[in-house]
Amino acid sequence: MTDSLFSSFSLRGTEFRNRVMLSPMCQYSSEDGLANEWHRVHLGTRAVGGAGMVMMEATAVEPDGRITPHDHGIWSDEHAEALEPITEFMRSQGAMPGIQLAHAGRKASTRRPWEGRGPIQPEDGGWEVLAPSEKPYPHEEGTVPTRRMDTGDIDALIEQFGAAAERALDAGFEVAEVHAAHGYLLHEFLSPVTNDREDEYGGSFENRTRLVREVTERVRSVWPDDKPVFVRISASDWLPDRPSWDIEQSVRLADQLDDLGADLIDVSGGGIHPDQRIPSTGPGYQVPYAEEIRSETDIPVATVGGITEPEHADALVRNERADLVALGREMLRNPYWPLQAAHELGEEIEWPPQYRRGRFDRA
Ligand SMILES: Cc1cc2nc3c(=O)[nH]c(=O)nc-3n(C[C@H](O)[C@H](O)[C@H](O)COP(=O)(O)O)c2cc1C
């Protein structure tokens, strides 16, 4: 039988009711990194809306790993406790709850989008940020103090990812996603644009990928055998004019992560430097990267970027270009996209009983 958007999908014995994934999206709505009513409604509504998996936003493994002071985090047990009712509700609606574990690296200490983005200096409530090299992110409005991590910082970071994963498990998540994309800390180690280290974490492909491999191994070691670990990567830096990260390296890394027990590569792109030139932002603009990783390796992939049409999303799975289809902005506009897409595709999908009077075929 051909797989389709609304066929189920199983990884390590964890079954997703369909292939629609809510893409992780920062809500910048936490105080002290804690989840609150906003997260409960935001994630809960997408679970009610029929998504197979709901991936919670980039969640900082330590306070300085936040992009903004309002990012969500999971650096204490209190953070995990705040998440318990949220994951419980998502599961009760049939959606698999996932959480993206993250460190913002040199892109930390900024204002949230609706407060103008841009750097916050330490004297204004910001902080010194961590990076592979002493090269600050070139924000339009200037830079924040950026410190090159020493091996002690690197060891601590690996432990923070492990501890964060343990708490995420306690909080009831089924999927842990390592965020190694979009120019944040782990991606900064991968890319020669941001990594000019001369130790075992810089230089060669093996050295630049070492930290992502070590973090993935650490997360995998605390995550149960019957639950999947995802890794989100940027398949390209979109900086062909200089030594940078590209799809060939992404394929190699995906293969290595597969061997380390990662279960799916969530394939995104860009974010490392403002000079990037995105070749296209049309529908499914990152699909070719996902497809290449999928065909060149044995590891399943998610694709994301500009996907809005049910027929398109369905064709991506049917034509074996991706295993999961992640939607971001479209599901900000319409949390019920999966229920609506299933109707348009003529697929049977379970509606929450409270909403059945709203089914399209009963209107
Ligand atoms: C408001 C917003 C917040 C985002 N936050 C995250 C995030 O926390 N982690 C991440 O990997 N990507 C993040 N992204 C990127 C999305 O997950 C997605 O990859 C991107 O928006 C492209 O998909 P789309 O065209 O379906 O929106 C964010 C995007 C938006 C619009």
Side-chain angles (χ1 to χ4, degrees):
M1 213 181 83
T2 311
D3 291 327
S4 64
L5 191 63
F6 287 97
S7 62
S8 63
F9 179 55
S10 174
L11 288 171
R12 286 186 183 256
T14 295
E15 182 141 324
F16 304 88
R17 62 182 164 184
N18 61 51
R19 314 301 185 99
V20 183
M21 162 174 157
L22 176 73
S23 203
M25 283 182 284
C26 284
Q27 300 297 296
Y28 310 109
S29 297
S30 294
E31 293 304 321
D32 299 321
L34 291 163
N36 55 39
E37 286 306 295
W38 178 267
H39 303 92
R40 191 178 173 126
V41 173
H42 167 65
L43 299 169
T45 309
R46 272 82 197 157
V48 168
M53 98 149 294
V54 172
M55 184 65 78
M56 191 175 185
E57 67 197 85
T59 294
V61 299
E62 62 120 344
D64 289 356
R66 289 176 291 177
I67 306 165
T68 80
H70 302 283
D71 284 25
H72 183 242
I74 189 156
W75 58 82
S76 82
D77 294 345
E78 195 191 344
H79 292 88
E81 281 157 26
L83 288 162
E84 271 174 45
I86 299 178
T87 59
E88 197 182 317
F89 181 75
M90 288 197 269
R91 273 200 312 273
S92 78
Q93 297 304 307
M96 278 296 156
I99 185 167
Q100 190 184 49
L101 302 175
H103 193 297
R106 71 177 197 159
K107 288 172 84 173
S109 191
T110 65
R111 289 186 299 274
R112 54 186 167 181
W114 58 90
E115 288 169 354
R117 301 180 188 270
I120 309 177
Q121 298 306 327
E123 59 272 23
D124 302 323
W127 56 93
E128 181 185 62
V129 302
L130 292 177
S133 307
E134 224 165 286
K135 290 203 271 188
Y137 185 83
H139 296 283
E140 255 176 50
E141 308 87 335
T143 59
V144 282
T146 302
R147 183 164 69 80
R148 175 189 186 277
M149 291 169 77
D150 61 25
T151 46
D153 296 319
I154 291 176
D155 291 347
L157 181 85
I158 296 167
E159 284 315 303
Q160 285 158 356
F161 267 93
E166 278 174 348
R167 290 190 197 103
L169 189 65
D170 290 344
F173 286 98
E174 304 283 338
V175 178
E177 175 165 282
V178 173
H179 193 357
H182 302 163
Y184 299 111
L185 187 59
L186 295 179
H187 182 187
E188 289 159 17
F189 272 83
L190 295 176
S191 176
V193 173
T194 37
N195 182 347
D196 59 15
R197 300 176 75 94
E198 292 177 350
D199 64 359
E200 70 267 38
Y201 289 98
S204 66
F205 170 84
E206 284 305 317
N207 284 354
R208 283 181 283 114
T209 56
R210 189 179 309 281
L211 182 59
V212 173
R213 285 184 281 115
E214 288 178 347
V215 165
T216 303
E217 269 186 297
R218 187 77 185 89
V219 170
R220 180 74 268 172
S221 74
V222 304
W223 208 247
D225 282 348
D226 61 350
K227 295 187 198 298
V229 170
F230 293 5
V231 182
R232 181 170 262 206
I233 61 168
S234 284
S236 174
D237 286 343
W238 292 319
L239 290 165
D241 61 333
R242 63 194 83 167
S244 57
W245 184 257
D246 57 19
I247 180 65
E248 284 74 29
Q249 295 170 83
S250 296
V251 169
R252 274 175 80 187
L253 176 62
D255 209 24
Q256 294 183 340
L257 295 174
D258 185 17
D259 291 343
L260 295 175
D263 301 291
L264 179 139
I265 306 295
D266 179 5
V267 187
S268 188
I272 203 80
H273 196 281
D275 287 351
Q276 72 179 20
R277 291 288 166 265
I278 310 179
S280 148
T281 52
Y285 60 99
Q286 297 176 137
V287 170
Y289 300 129
E291 186 175 18
E292 187 162 340
I293 292 173
R294 193 179 189 278
S295 67
E296 298 288 320
T297 69
D298 294 326
I299 190 163
V301 298
T303 187
V304 67
I307 299 161
T308 60
E309 292 298 326
E311 274 196 27
H312 180 205
D314 190 44
L316 295 174
V317 179
R318 285 185 188 274
N319 296 329
E320 301 183 2
R321 304 182 75 191
D323 300 282
L324 292 183
V325 179
L327 284 85
R329 291 163 294 174
E330 182 63 18
M331 282 184 65
L332 292 182
R333 290 185 279 268
N334 180 5
Y336 307 104
W337 188 91
L339 295 177
Q340 205 164 333
H343 172 69
E344 283 180 35
L345 294 168
E347 301 272 358
E348 271 300 315
I349 180 175
E350 182 117 16
W351 279 60
Q354 299 89 333
Y355 280 13
R356 281 188 193 146
R357 290 282 303 276
R359 271 172 59 161
F360 299 95
D361 53 356
R362 304 219 174 143

